[in-house]
């Protein structure tokens, strides 16, 4: 039986099933293992991991601990309440923005690749080279944030590092817009998002793209990238304090468990805290050669849970409202048995987005695609509701192919 326990309850003899943290946080080669010594418990707590999942069938139990199902049910209850808050209205339909967003995705990825290559050669970053791209990304987000952020979920091993930076920029711009921040602050945040991982240019490829978990020594090298990126950007006179702050502090955590400075609550700026949430969200939803990305919906639930300790809970909730409980591009199963891809959040009920349905699970056949507005009643384009999000690999479908059907 799987149970959620506080890290302070851990004992030698318990079997860890899930460390309940993003993959870049924990210092263990494996995510599942039997605790055989107190040093492992100290290492878990020292990494800022506050709760874990244990398998009581493979080790010691904690009798009064909630099961994973019970803990998840409580989280779902809180998220349903959160979903009633309004989202920002869209300016243009998804289908209208997708083509422009595809061009921006390609151009921005190439730009970040060039910036990284220049940084590796010791060249300074030129703001005038990067600024127009931040403005293009911002314009796309203002028209329809789901188009670019949905497309940016498609990453390969070859372009992950570059597209991750573009994703963080786009999501951070959307987050700033959602929170009502002014245009200049939003631009500076976007610039910081696009450049936040510049320090990874100095990380050896064999470490950055290692097809497996990192050793302690390799993890220490990775943890240098915020300071390295900060030092690289300091060579750019036009760079402002916001991009520098985001670059240096996007791995800091509210409980002081982050790096490089182990800053605690009250010492991390608003935008760096926002960037931390965005960075983790994009990282854990991406497929890597050694890490299967989780669905966007599941990632948001994880961030909500982790916000008790690592993130500002208010910002985490506002980010969930920004991208939607079921973000654009999420594959969902409806009560009718149909599969669909979310193409637009509802302005006031994030549990009832517009969905493009294209497959019937009960009949195991593709069906004529149509857009279903889950906020409407039967006979008015709706009459269905989401049961749960689904894994595309389970059904061997690519939901993003059906985003373009939106009208």
């Amino acid at each position: 039986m799987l149970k959620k326990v506080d890290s302070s309850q851990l004992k030698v003899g318990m079997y860890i099933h899930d460390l309940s943290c993003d993959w870049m946080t924990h210092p263990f080669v494996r995510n599942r293992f039997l605790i055989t010594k107190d040093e492992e418990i100290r290492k878990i707590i020292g990494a800022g991991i506050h709760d874990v999942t244990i398998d009581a069938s493979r080790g010691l139990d904690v009798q009064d601990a909630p099961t994973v199902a019970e803990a998840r049910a409580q989280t779902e209850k809180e998220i349903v309440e959160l979903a009633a808050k309004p989202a920002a209205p869209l300016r243009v339909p998804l289908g209208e923005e997708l083509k422009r967003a595809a061009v921006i995705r390609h151009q921005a990825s190439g730009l970040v690749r060039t910036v990284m290559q220049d940084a590796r050669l010791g060249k300074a970053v030129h703001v005038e080279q990067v600024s127009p791209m931040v403005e293009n990304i911002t314009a796309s987000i203002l028209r329809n944030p789901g188009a670019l952020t949905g497309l940016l979920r498609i990453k390969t091993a070859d372009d992950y590092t570059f597209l991750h930076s573009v994703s963080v920029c786009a999501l951070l711009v959307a987050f700033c817009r959602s929170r009502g921040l002014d245009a200049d602050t939003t631009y500076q945040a976007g610039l910081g998002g696009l450049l936040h991982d510049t320090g990874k240019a100095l990380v050896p490829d064999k470490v950055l793209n290692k097809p497996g978990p990192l050793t302690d020594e390799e993890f220490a090298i990775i943890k240098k990238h915020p300071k390295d990126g900060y030092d690289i950007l300091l060579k750019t006179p036009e760079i402002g304090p916001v991009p520098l702050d985001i670059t240096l502090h996007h791995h800091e955590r509210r409980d002081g468990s982050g790096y490089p400075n182990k800053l605690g609550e009250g010492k991390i700026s608003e935008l760096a805290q926002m960037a931390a949430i965005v960075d983790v969200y994009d990282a854990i939803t991406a497929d890597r050669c050694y890490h299967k990305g989780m669905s966007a919906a599941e990632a948001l639930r994880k961030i909500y849970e982790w916000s008790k300790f690592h993130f500002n809970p208010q910002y985490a909730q506002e980010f969930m409202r920004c991208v939607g409980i079921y973000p654009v591009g999420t594959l969902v199963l409806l009560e009718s048995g149909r599969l669909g891809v979310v193409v637009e959040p509802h302005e006031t009920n994030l549990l009832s987005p517009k969905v493009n349905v294209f497959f019937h699970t009960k009949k195991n056949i593709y069906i004529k695609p149509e857009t279903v507005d889950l906020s409407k009643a039967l006979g008015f384009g709706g009459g269905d509701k989401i049961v749960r999000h689904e894994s595309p690999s389970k059904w061997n479908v690519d939901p993003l192919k059906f985003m373009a059907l939106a009208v």
Side-chain angles (χ1 to χ4, degrees), residues 205-224:
D205 286 338
K206 65 180 182 180
V207 175
L208 191 61
N209 300 311
K210 183 182 177 182
L214 301 174
T215 65
D216 289 346
E217 293 76 17
E218 291 165 339
F219 193 39
I221 293 173
I222 285 285
K223 289 167 72 173
K224 290 174 61 182

PDB file of all heavy atoms in Angstrom, residues 205-224:
ATOM      1  N   ASP A 205      28.859  18.845 -22.072  1.00  0.00           N
ATOM      2  CA  ASP A 205      27.743  18.127 -22.699  1.00  0.00           C
ATOM      3  C   ASP A 205      27.520  16.757 -22.073  1.00  0.00           C
ATOM      4  O   ASP A 205      26.382  16.296 -21.953  1.00  0.00           O
ATOM      5  CB  ASP A 205      27.985  17.972 -24.204  1.00  0.00           C
ATOM      6  CG  ASP A 205      27.775  19.277 -24.957  1.00  0.00           C
ATOM      7  OD1 ASP A 205      27.072  20.150 -24.421  1.00  0.00           O
ATOM      8  OD2 ASP A 205      28.322  19.422 -26.065  1.00  0.00           O
ATOM      9  N   LYS A 206      28.597  16.095 -21.683  1.00  0.00           N
ATOM     10  CA  LYS A 206      28.458  14.752 -21.118  1.00  0.00           C
ATOM     11  C   LYS A 206      27.713  14.768 -19.785  1.00  0.00           C
ATOM     12  O   LYS A 206      27.154  13.746 -19.373  1.00  0.00           O
ATOM     13  CB  LYS A 206      29.831  14.092 -20.956  1.00  0.00           C
ATOM     14  CG  LYS A 206      30.748  14.770 -19.947  1.00  0.00           C
ATOM     15  CD  LYS A 206      32.080  14.045 -19.851  1.00  0.00           C
ATOM     16  CE  LYS A 206      32.993  14.693 -18.807  1.00  0.00           C
ATOM     17  NZ  LYS A 206      34.300  13.998 -18.693  1.00  0.00           N
ATOM     18  N   VAL A 207      27.716  15.926 -19.125  1.00  0.00           N
ATOM     19  CA  VAL A 207      26.951  16.080 -17.879  1.00  0.00           C
ATOM     20  C   VAL A 207      25.548  16.590 -18.188  1.00  0.00           C
ATOM     21  O   VAL A 207      24.554  16.053 -17.689  1.00  0.00           O
ATOM     22  CB  VAL A 207      27.662  17.041 -16.902  1.00  0.00           C
ATOM     23  CG1 VAL A 207      26.792  17.285 -15.658  1.00  0.00           C
ATOM     24  CG2 VAL A 207      29.018  16.474 -16.495  1.00  0.00           C
ATOM     25  N   LEU A 208      25.468  17.625 -19.032  1.00  0.00           N
ATOM     26  CA  LEU A 208      24.181  18.246 -19.348  1.00  0.00           C
ATOM     27  C   LEU A 208      23.228  17.266 -20.016  1.00  0.00           C
ATOM     28  O   LEU A 208      22.026  17.274 -19.751  1.00  0.00           O
ATOM     29  CB  LEU A 208      24.420  19.452 -20.260  1.00  0.00           C
ATOM     30  CG  LEU A 208      23.244  20.386 -20.508  1.00  0.00           C
ATOM     31  CD1 LEU A 208      22.754  21.004 -19.210  1.00  0.00           C
ATOM     32  CD2 LEU A 208      23.631  21.474 -21.499  1.00  0.00           C
ATOM     33  N   ASN A 209      23.752  16.407 -20.876  1.00  0.00           N
ATOM     34  CA  ASN A 209      22.910  15.476 -21.635  1.00  0.00           C
ATOM     35  C   ASN A 209      23.164  14.023 -21.242  1.00  0.00           C
ATOM     36  O   ASN A 209      22.966  13.109 -22.055  1.00  0.00           O
ATOM     37  CB  ASN A 209      23.161  15.656 -23.135  1.00  0.00           C
ATOM     38  CG  ASN A 209      22.832  17.068 -23.602  1.00  0.00           C
ATOM     39  OD1 ASN A 209      21.771  17.600 -23.295  1.00  0.00           O
ATOM     40  ND2 ASN A 209      23.766  17.693 -24.319  1.00  0.00           N
ATOM     41  N   LYS A 210      23.571  13.803 -20.021  1.00  0.00           N
ATOM     42  CA  LYS A 210      23.858  12.448 -19.566  1.00  0.00           C
ATOM     43  C   LYS A 210      22.590  11.591 -19.596  1.00  0.00           C
ATOM     44  O   LYS A 210      21.560  11.979 -19.045  1.00  0.00           O
ATOM     45  CB  LYS A 210      24.430  12.467 -18.144  1.00  0.00           C
ATOM     46  CG  LYS A 210      24.815  11.083 -17.621  1.00  0.00           C
ATOM     47  CD  LYS A 210      25.329  11.162 -16.192  1.00  0.00           C
ATOM     48  CE  LYS A 210      25.644   9.766 -15.651  1.00  0.00           C
ATOM     49  NZ  LYS A 210      26.099   9.804 -14.243  1.00  0.00           N
ATOM     50  N   PRO A 211      22.631  10.419 -20.221  1.00  0.00           N
ATOM     51  CA  PRO A 211      21.436   9.558 -20.314  1.00  0.00           C
ATOM     52  C   PRO A 211      21.225   8.720 -19.054  1.00  0.00           C
ATOM     53  O   PRO A 211      21.165   7.502 -19.098  1.00  0.00           O
ATOM     54  CB  PRO A 211      21.756   8.675 -21.524  1.00  0.00           C
ATOM     55  CG  PRO A 211      23.237   8.541 -21.480  1.00  0.00           C
ATOM     56  CD  PRO A 211      23.762   9.870 -20.992  1.00  0.00           C
ATOM     57  N   GLY A 212      21.125   9.391 -17.918  1.00  0.00           N
ATOM     58  CA  GLY A 212      20.935   8.692 -16.650  1.00  0.00           C
ATOM     59  C   GLY A 212      21.061   9.672 -15.505  1.00  0.00           C
ATOM     60  O   GLY A 212      21.431  10.841 -15.699  1.00  0.00           O
ATOM     61  N   PRO A 213      20.759   9.233 -14.283  1.00  0.00           N
ATOM     62  CA  PRO A 213      20.855  10.117 -13.117  1.00  0.00           C
ATOM     63  C   PRO A 213      22.285  10.622 -12.918  1.00  0.00           C
ATOM     64  O   PRO A 213      23.255   9.961 -13.274  1.00  0.00           O
ATOM     65  CB  PRO A 213      20.424   9.210 -11.954  1.00  0.00           C
ATOM     66  CG  PRO A 213      19.638   8.112 -12.591  1.00  0.00           C
ATOM     67  CD  PRO A 213      20.265   7.892 -13.922  1.00  0.00           C
ATOM     68  N   LEU A 214      22.397  11.804 -12.323  1.00  0.00           N
ATOM     69  CA  LEU A 214      23.697  12.414 -12.092  1.00  0.00           C
ATOM     70  C   LEU A 214      24.330  11.914 -10.799  1.00  0.00           C
ATOM     71  O   LEU A 214      23.639  11.617  -9.823  1.00  0.00           O
ATOM     72  CB  LEU A 214      23.554  13.935 -12.010  1.00  0.00           C
ATOM     73  CG  LEU A 214      22.960  14.643 -13.230  1.00  0.00           C
ATOM     74  CD1 LEU A 214      22.751  16.126 -12.920  1.00  0.00           C
ATOM     75  CD2 LEU A 214      23.851  14.466 -14.440  1.00  0.00           C
ATOM     76  N   THR A 215      25.661  11.824 -10.785  1.00  0.00           N
ATOM     77  CA  THR A 215      26.391  11.539  -9.546  1.00  0.00           C
ATOM     78  C   THR A 215      26.422  12.821  -8.723  1.00  0.00           C
ATOM     79  O   THR A 215      26.071  13.909  -9.195  1.00  0.00           O
ATOM     80  CB  THR A 215      27.825  11.097  -9.844  1.00  0.00           C
ATOM     81  OG1 THR A 215      28.528  12.208 -10.458  1.00  0.00           O
ATOM     82  CG2 THR A 215      27.856   9.904 -10.795  1.00  0.00           C
ATOM     83  N   ASP A 216      26.861  12.718  -7.463  1.00  0.00           N
ATOM     84  CA  ASP A 216      26.963  13.905  -6.609  1.00  0.00           C
ATOM     85  C   ASP A 216      27.894  14.942  -7.239  1.00  0.00           C
ATOM     86  O   ASP A 216      27.625  16.150  -7.192  1.00  0.00           O
ATOM     87  CB  ASP A 216      27.484  13.517  -5.223  1.00  0.00           C
ATOM     88  CG  ASP A 216      26.456  12.743  -4.410  1.00  0.00           C
ATOM     89  OD1 ASP A 216      25.268  12.747  -4.805  1.00  0.00           O
ATOM     90  OD2 ASP A 216      26.833  12.148  -3.378  1.00  0.00           O
ATOM     91  N   GLU A 217      28.978  14.479  -7.831  1.00  0.00           N
ATOM     92  CA  GLU A 217      29.940  15.400  -8.445  1.00  0.00           C
ATOM     93  C   GLU A 217      29.328  16.095  -9.658  1.00  0.00           C
ATOM     94  O   GLU A 217      29.515  17.311  -9.869  1.00  0.00           O
ATOM     95  CB  GLU A 217      31.202  14.643  -8.864  1.00  0.00           C
ATOM     96  CG  GLU A 217      32.032  14.094  -7.701  1.00  0.00           C
ATOM     97  CD  GLU A 217      31.421  12.851  -7.073  1.00  0.00           C
ATOM     98  OE1 GLU A 217      30.532  12.217  -7.714  1.00  0.00           O
ATOM     99  OE2 GLU A 217      31.808  12.522  -5.933  1.00  0.00           O
ATOM    100  N   GLU A 218      28.597  15.348 -10.472  1.00  0.00           N
ATOM    101  CA  GLU A 218      27.957  15.935 -11.653  1.00  0.00           C
ATOM    102  C   GLU A 218      26.845  16.903 -11.255  1.00  0.00           C
ATOM    103  O   GLU A 218      26.659  17.953 -11.878  1.00  0.00           O
ATOM    104  CB  GLU A 218      27.405  14.827 -12.544  1.00  0.00           C
ATOM    105  CG  GLU A 218      28.497  13.987 -13.211  1.00  0.00           C
ATOM    106  CD  GLU A 218      27.974  12.694 -13.798  1.00  0.00           C
ATOM    107  OE1 GLU A 218      26.883  12.243 -13.371  1.00  0.00           O
ATOM    108  OE2 GLU A 218      28.643  12.125 -14.682  1.00  0.00           O
ATOM    109  N   PHE A 219      26.116  16.556 -10.208  1.00  0.00           N
ATOM    110  CA  PHE A 219      25.058  17.431  -9.711  1.00  0.00           C
ATOM    111  C   PHE A 219      25.651  18.753  -9.231  1.00  0.00           C
ATOM    112  O   PHE A 219      25.075  19.829  -9.437  1.00  0.00           O
ATOM    113  CB  PHE A 219      24.299  16.727  -8.583  1.00  0.00           C
ATOM    114  CG  PHE A 219      23.002  17.394  -8.204  1.00  0.00           C
ATOM    115  CD1 PHE A 219      22.163  17.936  -9.157  1.00  0.00           C
ATOM    116  CD2 PHE A 219      22.602  17.461  -6.880  1.00  0.00           C
ATOM    117  CE1 PHE A 219      20.963  18.545  -8.819  1.00  0.00           C
ATOM    118  CE2 PHE A 219      21.409  18.060  -6.520  1.00  0.00           C
ATOM    119  CZ  PHE A 219      20.591  18.606  -7.488  1.00  0.00           C
ATOM    120  N   ALA A 220      26.825  18.690  -8.596  1.00  0.00           N
ATOM    121  CA  ALA A 220      27.510  19.896  -8.122  1.00  0.00           C
ATOM    122  C   ALA A 220      27.883  20.801  -9.301  1.00  0.00           C
ATOM    123  O   ALA A 220      27.823  22.036  -9.201  1.00  0.00           O
ATOM    124  CB  ALA A 220      28.755  19.518  -7.332  1.00  0.00           C
ATOM    125  N   ILE A 221      28.273  20.189 -10.429  1.00  0.00           N
ATOM    126  CA  ILE A 221      28.595  20.975 -11.635  1.00  0.00           C
ATOM    127  C   ILE A 221      27.351  21.675 -12.165  1.00  0.00           C
ATOM    128  O   ILE A 221      27.372  22.865 -12.504  1.00  0.00           O
ATOM    129  CB  ILE A 221      29.200  20.056 -12.719  1.00  0.00           C
ATOM    130  CG1 ILE A 221      30.573  19.536 -12.274  1.00  0.00           C
ATOM    131  CG2 ILE A 221      29.324  20.798 -14.057  1.00  0.00           C
ATOM    132  CD1 ILE A 221      31.165  18.490 -13.197  1.00  0.00           C
ATOM    133  N   ILE A 222      26.237  20.940 -12.232  1.00  0.00           N
ATOM    134  CA  ILE A 222      24.978  21.515 -12.702  1.00  0.00           C
ATOM    135  C   ILE A 222      24.569  22.696 -11.818  1.00  0.00           C
ATOM    136  O   ILE A 222      24.091  23.732 -12.307  1.00  0.00           O
ATOM    137  CB  ILE A 222      23.861  20.445 -12.700  1.00  0.00           C
ATOM    138  CG1 ILE A 222      24.031  19.477 -13.874  1.00  0.00           C
ATOM    139  CG2 ILE A 222      22.478  21.102 -12.754  1.00  0.00           C
ATOM    140  CD1 ILE A 222      23.630  20.042 -15.223  1.00  0.00           C
ATOM    141  N   LYS A 223      24.771  22.571 -10.517  1.00  0.00           N
ATOM    142  CA  LYS A 223      24.328  23.606  -9.578  1.00  0.00           C
ATOM    143  C   LYS A 223      25.126  24.897  -9.693  1.00  0.00           C
ATOM    144  O   LYS A 223      24.764  25.915  -9.100  1.00  0.00           O
ATOM    145  CB  LYS A 223      24.389  23.065  -8.146  1.00  0.00           C
ATOM    146  CG  LYS A 223      23.309  22.031  -7.864  1.00  0.00           C
ATOM    147  CD  LYS A 223      23.534  21.269  -6.568  1.00  0.00           C
ATOM    148  CE  LYS A 223      23.288  22.089  -5.362  1.00  0.00           C
ATOM    149  NZ  LYS A 223      23.344  21.279  -4.113  1.00  0.00           N
ATOM    150  N   LYS A 224      26.182  24.881 -10.500  1.00  0.00           N
ATOM    151  CA  LYS A 224      26.968  26.095 -10.712  1.00  0.00           C
ATOM    152  C   LYS A 224      26.354  26.997 -11.781  1.00  0.00           C
ATOM    153  O   LYS A 224      26.733  28.160 -11.916  1.00  0.00           O
ATOM    154  CB  LYS A 224      28.405  25.728 -11.131  1.00  0.00           C
ATOM    155  CG  LYS A 224      29.249  25.100 -10.033  1.00  0.00           C
ATOM    156  CD  LYS A 224      30.594  24.643 -10.575  1.00  0.00           C
ATOM    157  CE  LYS A 224      31.401  25.808 -11.150  1.00  0.00           C
ATOM    158  NZ  LYS A 224      32.681  25.365 -11.719  1.00  0.00           N
TER     159      LYS A 224
END
